[in-house]
Amino acid sequence: MTTVGNVDHVRNGFDPHEILNDWDLGTVTTDANGRRVREYEITAVDIEIEIAPGIFFPAWAYNGRVPGPTIRAVEGEWLRIHFTNAGSHTHSIHFHGIHAASMDGIAGAGLVGPGESFTYEMPAEPFGCHLYHCHATPLKRHVHKGLYGAFIVDPDPARHPEHTDVARARLLGTPENDTWQEFVMVMNGFDTNFDDENEIYAANTVAHEYMKRPIQVDRDRPIRIYLVNITEFDPINSFHLHGNFFDYYDHGTTLTPTLRTVDTIMQCQAQRGILEMSFANHEPGRYMFHAHQSEFAELGWMSVFEVT
Amino acid sequence: MIPASADHSVATKRGLAIGFPLFLLALVALAVTLFDPLARFGTGLPPDEGLAIERGTTEPNGIEVWVRGDGRDDVSIAQVQVDGAYWNFKQTPDGPLGRFEGALIEIPYPWVAGDAHHLTFVTSTGTTFGYSIDVARDTTPFSLGALFDLALLGLFVGVVPIALGLATIPILRRMGTEGMVFAMALTVGLLAFLLVDTLAEGLELAAEAAGAYQTDVIVWVVAALTFAALMALSRIGGRKGGTGGIALATWMALGIGLHNFGEGLSIGTALILGNAALGSLLIVGFTVHNLTEGIAIAAPVTRKTPGLWMFVGWTALAGLPAVAGAWIGAFAFLPHWGAIFFGIAAGAILQVMVEVIRFILALGRESTDSLSGGTAFAGFGTGVLAMYATAFLVQV
């Protein structure tokens, strides 16, 4: 059973189906040293979003959406993220990646008051599937209100001669990458009544959205999922796929799987990874995937692939 | 002779004396309107949503819940969780619920007999309201057969023990004045326990009712009004010494009848919500408990010789309401009505207590034995203890 009714995505200003693969590639320039520089604009705002039919949540959001924009870059590039805080509280962006202490997004290193701005600069390293989130205190509140997003760094094939093909398949824009169906799924939850427990669980915010409107997939193309867990209040979340097994790359920082042929993985808060699977040998139909905590599934984190 | 002008000036002074406070009042009202001192406190308030969940039953096709808007603002039920899972539901009528507006929520949930089920109503703002069905069981559908069964139960709980209690009258008759004092004091003890118990029941139901009704206050107000009204009614004849004998027994039967109506409500509700174990315990308990109520009615008439039909009448007056209570409790029960009813019963019981105490005082005057006070105390204590002991059988 699922939630009753439908969410008004137009009113929300974002649709979980669009979030699946609307990468924010920023704007690319080359600096004096010939280094590629990628620049992004992110603004924190207070916004009310519908997280399940008829349930409105007073969120804090990057660029008006939860999760925030999926920042995607290429290993070795220089990143410049221009952050403006248009919200009512102090916010920041803390990137899970390699960067200087002064770019940490904590007190004294890029904490931004309402109406103020800051530019975070760092290399796009290491390659993998990462996340960013607000690191203002109280931390729990700033995180579960919605200030987080996925941060993907594609490997540079030139730097991985032993796995060039794998790296090229990960690198957005290559013909090899084009054969893949890529989705980002940020597992999150919402505490609507302030009891430090979530009333809603989801992948990409809206409860049961991919259950009611299945994700369409082509059985002849493999699937790659960038999975991020930012669920607050529960120590772990998980991903379980029906009728199939997948390879898993913990944190996405390797080009060979860290787990092979599994159908369930679990992630602690802020843990993430890349899942790769194929339905090539399967009959067409609906294949469910969900958190294998039944509670989370029945409170919204339950979805299906419609394989055709 | 008073000059006309002086007369006129007195009238003017009178007019001023009346007009000045009114003028001041108008001035204050104007000031409050202009400066609106409350405005500062009313801004930025979050919506005040309230939802009273009045009754939940497990039906063949799922769970049915009666809810009522209970806050300053409208409340919209956005989603319903059953046992921590979002579930389909249908609200009739649908839409936001204003204050006091009721609706029926039907949830096609495959509930498990004998299990507890927890419901959570999530509103549009994400506020949650919980409700538990302690033991799920088939809710008895409304039918003539069910009415008949409930009537039998009501008779067993209400009428039978009252009749048995009244049958103790030959024993009561053998007692002298001291014995009478003891019996009457015993009655006061029984009634005192009943009064506290009735008020507690009423307040407990008030807590379940929509808070906006302020049912807890209503319980007290209704009790006080009932008490005053019955006192006034019983004095219509103009008796100075208060009621005694047959009239007192009748008032007592009425008060106890009102209380038994409440007991019927409890039994009917317990049975219809599938709690058979609780229902049968209540039945046994109330039956034993109510024996003492029959004795209470008999006590004031030990020196009279009322006709048999009087006994029948008292039995009916005190016992039959249990049948009506069981019916209403089973099929039409909402907590605020129950609470109001217990308030009425409390007022009636208090009135009877006052009458009985006056009766004891009158007996005491005719007694030459200085031990009357001690006897009365012993009787009162025995009464309270007897009720307390039998109340063990009706522990919920």
Side-chain angles (χ1 to χ4, degrees), chain B residues 329-368:
Chain B
F331 297 115
F333 183 66
L334 289 176
H336 50 273
W337 291 118
I340 289 169
F341 208 85
F342 277 107
I344 293 173
I349 290 165
L350 185 63
Q351 186 258 344
V352 175
M353 282 176 72
V354 170
E355 298 291 7
V356 178
I357 289 166
R358 296 178 77 122
F359 193 77
I360 295 171
L361 291 177
L363 282 173
R365 275 194 289 278
E366 65 181 69
S367 167
T368 49

Side-chain angles (χ1 to χ4, degrees), chain A residues 218-235:
Chain A
D218 176 358
R219 67 199 282 241
D220 296 326
R221 294 166 66 206
I223 296 169
R224 178 178 292 128
I225 299 170
Y226 295 94
L227 185 72
V228 177
N229 177 26
I230 191 68
T231 315
E232 195 54 75
F233 307 120
D234 295 286

Side-chain angles (χ1 to χ4, degrees), chain A residues 154-158 160 163-172 174 255:
Chain A
D154 290 341
D156 175 0
H160 308 283
H163 294 297
T164 314
D165 292 347
V166 181
R168 287 185 65 79
R170 288 251 199 109
L171 179 61
L172 190 70
T174 62
L255 294 174

Side-chain angles (χ1 to χ4, degrees), chain A residues 25-138:
Chain A
L25 304 175
T27 46
V28 184
T29 50
T30 307
D31 68 9
N33 304 325
R35 186 175 58 172
R36 278 161 66 87
V37 177
R38 221 177 261 270
E39 297 189 58
Y40 301 86
E41 295 286 342
I42 294 183
T43 306
V45 293
D46 296 359
I47 182 177
E48 187 180 69
I49 56 172
E50 193 178 0
I51 53 174
I55 301 180
F56 297 89
F57 183 80
W60 294 338
Y62 291 124
N63 288 1
R65 43 173 272 181
V66 180
T70 302
I71 291 178
R72 195 156 178 177
V74 180
E75 183 184 10
E77 291 175 335
W78 189 251
L79 304 180
R80 216 167 264 152
I81 298 107
H82 304 288
F83 176 54
T84 304
N85 182 358
S88 55
H89 287 250
T90 297
H91 297 308
S92 75
I93 308 180
H94 164 72
F95 284 88
H96 283 232
I98 293 170
H99 54 246
S102 56
M103 294 292 146
D104 206 21
I106 59 167
L111 211 55
V112 181
E116 294 172 3
S117 298
F118 186 84
T119 298
Y120 301 94
E121 292 198 57
M122 65 195 78
E125 277 179 1
F127 72 84
C129 172
H130 308 307
L131 80 151
Y132 62 91
H133 62 88
C134 178
H135 216 301
T137 54

Side-chain angles (χ1 to χ4, degrees), chain B residues 137-163:
Chain B
R137 224 200 77 182
D138 272 325
T139 303
T140 315
F142 181 83
S143 68
L144 279 180
L147 279 184
F148 181 75
D149 292 343
L150 285 163
L152 270 186
L153 285 175
L155 288 175
F156 189 66
V157 171
V159 174
V160 172
I162 300 283

